[in-house]
Amino acid sequence: MSEIDVLNFLRKMEGQIFVLDVYVRKVNEKIIRLESIVQLVLHKHGISAVGITQRQPMISDFEFEQIDTLESLEAFNENLQNTAYQEQIFHWLNSNITDDKSENRMTEAIDLLFTKKFMTKCSWTGVGRGSEKIAMMRMVNITKLFRRIGTYGDVVMNPRMVMLFFMKKLRNAGRRSEMKHLRRSTTHYFKSNKVKSEN
């Protein structure tokens, strides 16, 4: 096989890989949408996804401290890969959120999970006015969690809706941090399923 044949073969393979990558991404988007719909149906009927997929683990007190650093943000994003931990956080948020409108539910989740000061250090892309910021778009598991929180009633959130939500909230984070009526930055407690990491 000549060098030209090898190059042609590699170009052909590259094209096929690209097509396959696009197909896989579309399949993943459909799976995520189906997961959101399933969660919505389960929520409407008061069924816990944890109870369906696994045994009920041992219950113990678990402390959640609002995120105030890049390190704690990255750790939280990584911990959400653990399905059981993700369910614990989701149900804790769900039990503390009072609104039934999708955007307001996600806003309440922001105030529960992050300090107001930390939000001023973030932007969706990591680009800030005159300085680099923390890129929230990199925190894939956190944005998936917000999709679940925002999926409520007849609204099924998609990645673009979550992106627009974060862009809006992070752009106004400085002004929100000066508002007195928002939740205080405190440590929250909830009942947690004590499990071993699945990673």
Side-chain angles (χ1 to χ4, degrees):
M1 183 178 289
S2 66
E3 184 176 340
I4 294 176
D5 291 335
V6 171
L7 290 173
N8 289 335
F9 175 76
L10 291 175
R11 289 195 189 101
K12 183 178 179 181
M13 288 298 297
E14 185 179 8
Q16 292 177 346
I17 291 172
F18 175 78
V19 171
L20 181 61
D21 182 59
V22 171
Y23 175 76
V24 170
R25 272 185 287 164
K26 288 182 178 179
V27 170
N28 284 336
E29 288 176 0
K30 289 182 179 179
I31 290 173
I32 292 172
R33 179 172 174 79
L34 286 173
E35 287 176 348
S36 297
I37 294 172
V38 169
Q39 292 296 335
L40 177 61
V41 172
L42 292 177
H43 176 75
K44 281 186 174 180
H45 293 278
I47 302 172
S48 170
V50 177
I52 292 175
T53 58
Q54 60 188 51
R55 298 177 182 176
Q56 186 67 25
M58 184 170 59
I59 302 296
S60 65
D61 286 333
F62 184 91
E63 179 180 329
F64 180 85
E65 186 173 350
Q66 281 184 301
I67 295 167
D68 194 34
T69 64
L70 173 59
E71 291 74 19
S72 58
L73 179 72
E74 291 176 334
F76 181 59
N77 184 68
E78 184 175 350
N79 288 338
L80 286 173
Q81 293 181 22
N82 182 312
T83 303
Y85 179 77
Q86 180 191 135
E87 292 299 322
Q88 293 161 18
I89 292 292
F90 172 75
H91 290 296
W92 171 66
L93 287 172
N94 215 29
S95 66
N96 281 278
I97 290 172
T98 59
D99 210 294
D100 58 359
K101 294 182 179 178
S102 294
E103 182 169 343
N104 294 342
R105 287 173 59 79
M106 291 191 293
T107 298
E108 287 191 45
I110 276 184
D111 293 333
L112 282 163
L113 293 172
F114 312 105
T115 66
K116 298 185 291 292
K117 180 181 178 182
F118 179 69
M119 285 287 91
T120 64
K121 302 176 183 177
C122 303
S123 71
W124 178 249
T125 61
V127 176
R129 293 180 178 177
S131 63
E132 185 177 351
K133 291 197 171 187
I134 297 168
M136 190 62 72
M137 65 182 292
R138 291 178 46 241
M139 308 300 154
V140 177
N141 296 318
I142 293 176
T143 57
K144 286 181 180 178
L145 174 64
F146 273 80
R147 282 188 63 185
R148 290 188 64 187
I149 290 298
T151 295
Y152 195 83
D154 297 327
V155 178
V156 178
M157 300 296 290
N158 59 46
R160 183 174 183 276
M161 294 162 72
V162 174
M163 175 190 73
L164 293 175
F165 167 79
F166 270 106
M167 289 177 70
K168 174 183 175 182
K169 292 300 177 184
L170 296 175
R171 186 167 55 245
N172 297 321
R175 185 166 53 193
R176 292 188 81 240
S177 69
E178 298 171 358
M179 297 172 67
K180 302 295 183 183
H181 67 276
L182 294 179
R183 295 177 185 268
R184 291 178 301 165
S185 299
T186 57
T187 297
H188 301 276
Y189 298 86
F190 67 103
K191 289 294 184 180
S192 168
N193 295 329
K194 191 175 183 181
V195 296
K196 294 181 179 179
S197 173
E198 297 176 357
N199 296 333

